[in-house]
């Protein structure tokens, strides 16, 4: 009981007294050793989120330099875009599904940063092919898919924003988390057809008034690509600025 109370040490103190927050973060590790999110073994020097063994089995797609990868094909014919890529395959009960659950429902924000950093460096290090990764050098800013403000308030953060921050850390490309805003809560998407989903998503997003995206190449980012309806709606909202170029990236791509 005592330890569980310690674990929820008020956020207030972190904000008000950063030194206390840092001391506390160090002290907490003495009670709770930092463990691998994949296998629960304690992490050792330099390891973050995953131990070396688990980090090496994340099923990476290596799509980044492929002009016609599966992420590209999922958006083909739906909207104009430059490139699309995803870091890893997302399968039911797979390692990535487990990590995403921790990121979205267990407050493990460091997972978002970690995966974003891996995605950023994977794209940057991909071997150039014809039509390869030159698109990355052309990106002006990273824009995460926004959550509805109510949902963000409840969760305390936007997981796509953390992913965007991670990508930014390894690519140096700035993030604009406010370029796009969610103006309407969408109904549950699970039992709808693609056409119904699109209609439901339409007008859910808009460029925040006063944001200048003239001539910018935007990298839109999200956690997992399934049907792509949310990303498509975001891209269509951004494309109301006619001079914009869009590329799309996600951590996971759902495969059966
Ligand atoms: Zn592990």
């Amino acid at each position: 009981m005592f330890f569980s109370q310690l674990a929820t040490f008020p956020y207030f103190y972190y904000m008000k007294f950063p030194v206390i927050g840092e001391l506390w973060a160090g002290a907490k590790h003495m009670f709770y050793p930092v463990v691998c999110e994949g296998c629960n073994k304690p992490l050792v020097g330099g390891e973050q989120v995953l131990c070396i063994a688990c980090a090496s089995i994340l099923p990476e797609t290596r799509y980044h330099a492929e002009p016609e990868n599966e992420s590209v094909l999922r958006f083909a014919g739906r909207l104009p875009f430059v490139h699309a890529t995803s870091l890893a395959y997302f399968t039911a009960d797979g390692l990535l599904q487990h990590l995403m659950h921790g990121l979205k429902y267990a407050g493990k924000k460091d997972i978002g940063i970690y995966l974003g950093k891996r995605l950023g460096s994977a794209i940057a290090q991909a071997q150039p092919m014809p039509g390869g990764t030159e698109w990355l050098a052309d990106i002006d800013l990273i824009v995460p898919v926004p959550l509805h403000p109510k949902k963000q308030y409840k969760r305390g953060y936007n997981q796509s924003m953390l992913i965007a921050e991670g990508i930014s850390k390894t690519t140096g490309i700035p993030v604009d988390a406010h370029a796009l805003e969610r103006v309407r809560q969408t109904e549950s998407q699970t039992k709808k057809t693609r056409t119904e989903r699109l209609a439901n998503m339409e007008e859910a997003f808009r460029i925040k008034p006063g944001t200048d995206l003239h001539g910018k190449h935007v990298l839109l980012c999200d956690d997992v690509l399934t049907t792509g309806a949310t990303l498509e709606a975001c891209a269509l909202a951004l494309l109301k600025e006619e001079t914009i170029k869009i590329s799309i990236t996600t951590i996971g791509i759902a495969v059966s």
Side-chain angles (χ1 to χ4, degrees):
M1 185 63 190
F2 175 63
F3 285 140
S4 67
Q5 281 172 348
L6 280 177
T8 54
F9 194 73
Y11 183 65
F12 168 80
Y13 288 100
Y14 287 88
M15 298 306 291
K16 195 92 177 170
F17 309 109
V19 176
I20 295 179
E22 276 174 36
L23 285 173
W24 172 245
K28 199 171 74 170
H29 288 174
M30 289 166 62
F31 300 120
Y32 298 96
V34 181
V35 297
C36 170
E37 292 293 341
C39 67
N40 278 323
K41 286 183 186 153
L43 294 179
V44 292
E47 290 176 341
Q48 288 180 331
V49 177
L50 293 177
C51 69
I52 288 179
C54 290
S56 69
I57 57 166
L58 190 74
E60 292 203 34
T61 63
R62 306 189 192 285
Y63 283 169
H64 322 302
E66 288 178 34
E68 289 197 0
N69 65 55
E70 177 58 28
S71 302
V72 168
L73 295 177
R74 285 202 193 174
F75 292 105
R78 293 163 68 177
L79 64 134
F81 64 100
V82 180
H83 194 67
T85 189
S86 306
L87 176 68
Y89 297 107
F90 181 95
T91 52
D93 301 324
L95 175 58
L96 190 54
Q97 195 271 350
H98 176 73
L99 292 175
M100 282 301 169
H101 191 270
L103 170 61
K104 288 170 77 170
Y105 307 112
K108 294 177 175 175
K109 294 159 76 175
D110 54 339
I111 293 178
I113 303 277
Y114 168 81
L115 290 171
K117 280 160 87 175
R118 267 188 80 155
L119 174 57
S121 51
I123 298 173
Q125 289 164 13
Q127 289 298 316
M129 291 164 64
T133 49
E134 303 82 34
W135 60 274
L136 185 66
D138 190 46
I139 302 284
D140 296 300
L141 74 163
I142 306 165
V143 172
V145 167
L147 282 181
H148 189 273
K150 269 190 202 163
K151 201 166 185 180
Q152 182 157 341
Y153 179 77
K154 220 171 144 188
R155 187 170 292 168
Y157 55 92
N158 173 2
Q159 71 278 3
S160 296
M161 173 64 200
L162 297 169
I163 293 162
E165 280 178 22
I167 299 171
S168 179
K169 279 178 198 287
T170 45
T171 60
I173 302 166
V175 177
D176 188 343
H178 306 289
L180 200 57
E181 61 182 7
R182 197 157 194 147
V183 287
R184 191 168 63 75
Q185 182 75 284
T186 45
E187 299 158 40
S188 173
Q189 296 281 69
T190 43
K191 287 184 181 159
K192 292 186 162 61
T193 64
R194 187 175 117 68
T195 317
E196 286 169 338
R197 284 175 195 228
L198 262 182
N200 185 32
M201 279 289 176
E202 213 171 295
E203 309 299 331
F205 302 93
R206 69 169 178 191
I207 295 174
K208 188 167 184 163
T211 308
D212 181 15
L213 294 174
H214 188 89
K216 297 272 195 284
H217 187 170
V218 170
L219 181 62
L220 192 55
C221 92
D222 202 7
D223 48 14
V224 180
L225 171 59
T226 48
T227 64
T230 308
L231 282 157
E232 183 177 359
C234 286
L236 292 174
L238 288 168
L239 285 162
K240 295 211 166 128
E241 165 57 64
E242 289 172 1
T243 58
I244 216 170
K245 281 191 286 181
I246 307 265
S247 284
I248 302 167
T249 194
T250 63
I251 294 298
I253 176 165
V255 288
S256 49

